[in-house]
Amino acid sequence: MAAEHHGTLAHHFESYDQQREASSLGMWLFLVTEVMFFGGFFLAYIIYRSRWPQDFALASHHLDVTLGGINTVVLIASSLTMALAVRSAQLARRKATVLFLLFTLLFGLGFLGIKAAEYADKFEHHLVPGPGFEFHDEGSDPRHAEMFFNLYFGMTGLHAAHMVIGAGLVFWLMFPAWKGRFNAEYHNPVEVVGLYWHFVDIIWIFLFPLLYLIGFHLEG
Amino acid sequence: MSVHVEPVRVYVFVFLALMVGTGLTVFAAAFDLSASGIPFANDLLAMAIAVAKASLVVWFFMHVRHSTPLTKLVVVGALLWLVFMVALTLGDYDTRGLLGVPGK
């Protein structure tokens, strides 16, 4: 067994292998609860979408597919840089780890910036659920469209909250990475934040078609 | 089980596959597939592509292919509980009104 690195092996673990396996398993257990957390939203979406398919398609048509698509690409790119950050940490490449974390952070912030611009646009067009909500599309019940936007803001809002937390975690990781704390045996913090980051990416992979694309084939 | 360092090309291939999947999703959404007679054909196709993309992320980016059997079990368990929740809830919603229950 290799010597301890900066006291990074907790005393209740027998080996670094065991420590890594335990931390990954713990993160996965947390992600199971996250699947159920978002799952409730997806379930509500399935029920209302199957009831009011046309209303949802018309409401979805008011979302910007270009911005949503760009954000999908940005988020997948951030997952690539996150995976490469974990890899660099495994290889104890200090500067590469910091650099890939920085790219991940910047992609994450870029995503949030675009999301903020989209939200502002929805406020301007009275598409935010509540007393100010207005929807005049022909052949559509405004109350059903309002339900679509409830789900839109609920799901993307919860997702964006996860992005903010993820960006904070990635920023925090840059300090120990800069100090050269990570190596083949001890890189659990980067690994588990990576798991979290990829999970948030997966949520968006499902949100993009369900929210942005269901009205894409409509004219106008 | 020591740490397994993936070659960079694996991550790049997965990234490119995810990009192709995204392009395919947008392309397929431009057509109205309801003419096929399958209800929600567009949604089902989009979800099929999304599941494929998510599987790539889980298997490669999230290192499940090198993880312990216990971790793999937890991943499958997450999906199982999600299926339970959706199936049981829809089992309720989609069967309401099938029987003429008085006072409903």
Side-chain angles (χ1 to χ4, degrees):
Chain A
M1 191 63 240
E4 276 200 26
H5 296 282
H6 312 288
T8 46
L9 180 64
H11 67 87
H12 50 284
F13 290 116
E14 282 186 356
S15 66
Y16 278 100
D17 281 354
Q18 191 192 37
Q19 180 171 258
R20 274 202 314 279
E21 284 165 20
S23 69
S24 287
L25 180 65
M27 193 62 195
W28 269 107
L29 282 170
F30 170 66
L31 293 182
V32 175
T33 73
E34 290 275 85
V35 167
M36 297 306 276
F37 188 11
F38 279 96
F41 261 121
F42 281 104
L43 182 53
Y45 177 94
I46 292 169
I47 290 167
Y48 285 110
R49 162 79 172 141
S50 59
R51 259 149 213 244
W52 307 321
Q54 192 59 20
D55 296 301
F56 267 40
L58 285 167
S60 162
H61 206 48
H62 288 260
L63 297 183
D64 192 323
V65 174
T66 310
L67 290 181
I70 290 172
N71 256 354
T72 307
V73 172
V74 168
L75 215 49
I76 292 173
S78 81
S79 256
L80 174 66
T81 55
M82 187 74 227
L84 292 172
V86 175
R87 186 180 183 276
S88 305
Q90 288 171 340
L91 295 169
R93 289 181 186 160
R94 189 174 72 93
K95 283 180 183 167
T97 309
V98 174
L99 208 60
F100 281 126
L101 286 172
L102 180 65
F103 278 129
T104 308
L105 180 64
L106 292 178
F107 281 132
L109 294 178
F111 176 94
L112 287 170
I114 290 174
K115 201 79 228 139
E118 284 188 78
Y119 277 4
D121 180 76
K122 298 298 165 281
F123 273 94
E124 275 173 31
H125 290 90
H126 297 278
L127 291 172
V128 180
F133 185 81
E134 285 174 30
F135 198 80
H136 307 294
D137 281 19
E138 212 164 306
S140 171
D141 184 335
R143 294 184 55 191
H144 297 174
E146 191 169 9
M147 179 54 83
F148 173 84
F149 282 101
N150 267 311
L151 287 165
Y152 168 75
F153 280 102
M155 294 170 102
T156 59
L158 184 63
H159 178 267
H162 279 76
M163 289 292 298
V164 171
I165 294 167
L169 291 171
V170 169
F171 179 67
W172 162 72
L173 277 179
M174 288 170 72
F175 294 94
W178 181 255
K179 288 178 189 155
R181 288 278 171 79
F182 302 124
N183 52 54
E185 294 188 310
Y186 179 74
H187 55 271
N188 325 23
V190 196
E191 172 74 22
V192 296
V193 170
L195 289 177
Y196 178 85
W197 192 269
H198 297 310
F199 167 80
V200 176
D201 183 22
I202 288 175
I203 295 295
W204 185 259
I205 285 175
F206 285 94
L207 288 183
F208 174 55
L210 289 179
L211 295 173
Y212 288 78
L213 294 176
I214 54 173
F216 193 49
H217 62 272
L218 301 176
E219 297 295 322
Chain B
M1 198 194 94
S2 61
V3 65
H4 191 107
V5 181
E6 206 80 68
V8 172
R9 67 184 146 78
V10 171
Y11 289 139
V12 173
F13 278 142
V14 171
F15 169 76
L16 292 175
L18 292 172
M19 285 293 137
V20 170
T22 304
L24 212 59
T25 307
V26 176
F27 177 75
F31 301 93
D32 186 0
L33 302 177
S34 60
S36 65
I38 305 165
F40 295 101
N42 277 90
D43 302 48
L44 292 175
L45 179 60
M47 286 304 97
I49 299 171
V51 167
K53 287 169 72 183
S55 305
L56 284 174
V57 174
V58 169
W59 194 242
F60 293 101
F61 282 174
M62 297 173 91
H63 303 156
V64 168
R65 75 184 190 128
H66 298 301
S67 68
T68 59
L70 183 57
T71 303
K72 288 190 174 95
L73 186 68
V74 168
V75 177
V76 174
L79 299 175
L80 191 67
W81 290 113
L82 185 64
V83 168
F84 283 164
M85 179 168 74
V86 173
L88 293 177
T89 309
L90 293 183
D92 170 11
Y93 273 91
D94 291 348
T95 55
R96 286 182 192 181
L98 282 185
L99 299 171
V101 182
K104 193 179 80 83

